[in-house]
Amino acid sequence: MASITLGGNPINTSGELPKVGSKLADYKLVQNDLSVASLSDFAGKKVIYNIFPSVDTGTCAASVRKFNQSAANLSNTVVLCVSRDLPFAQKRFCGAEGLEDVINLSDFKTGDFGKSNGLEILDGPLAGLHSRVLIVTDENGIVLYTEQVGEIADEPNYEAALAVL
């Protein structure tokens, strides 16, 4: 279990992030068109998982914008923005912002992605949502980098995540 904060108040997550060098566990996440995406859909590509509580918050929205800007310049790399938001909200946000270089995926049905990767928030006002996490994998789904942001309101270390690519 990781201890993070929300507005300086301690909250806990469901476990530890995947270890660098391990293979990311397979998953089923819902895309904007309500089809299901899994780890194998991104085989052969490097992947940045930008994981956050909700696209309808300032910091989460800023991370999607930042990675959309960065993703346009990355070769053989996709950025997956993962939250428990409904796919309709994710699509609305990116459409309104003109963001086309990230892929939104929703864990709204079961929350299994958050649980299996140790990043589900267990207590406090955001219980059940995902904490702010970056996971970067290589073309084979092997974890190259992880970051559990200590304070939910803070942005992740974009440069460190991009540097491992």
Side-chain angles (χ1 to χ4, degrees), residues 125-157:
L126 299 181
L129 298 179
H130 295 337
S131 57
R132 188 172 317 287
V133 168
L134 293 180
I135 300 173
V136 179
T137 61
D138 70 7
E139 297 89 343
N140 300 307
I142 303 299
V143 177
L144 301 174
Y145 174 85
T146 63
E147 178 189 0
Q148 170 75 68
V149 179
E151 165 59 48
I152 293 269
D154 291 345
E155 292 186 55
N157 187 340

Side-chain angles (χ1 to χ4, degrees), residues 31-34 85-93 106 108:
Q31 300 185 82
N32 287 346
D33 65 1
L34 302 180
D85 289 304
L86 290 174
F88 314 112
Q90 294 172 330
K91 184 176 181 178
R92 173 193 40 78
F93 172 79
S106 177
F108 82 97

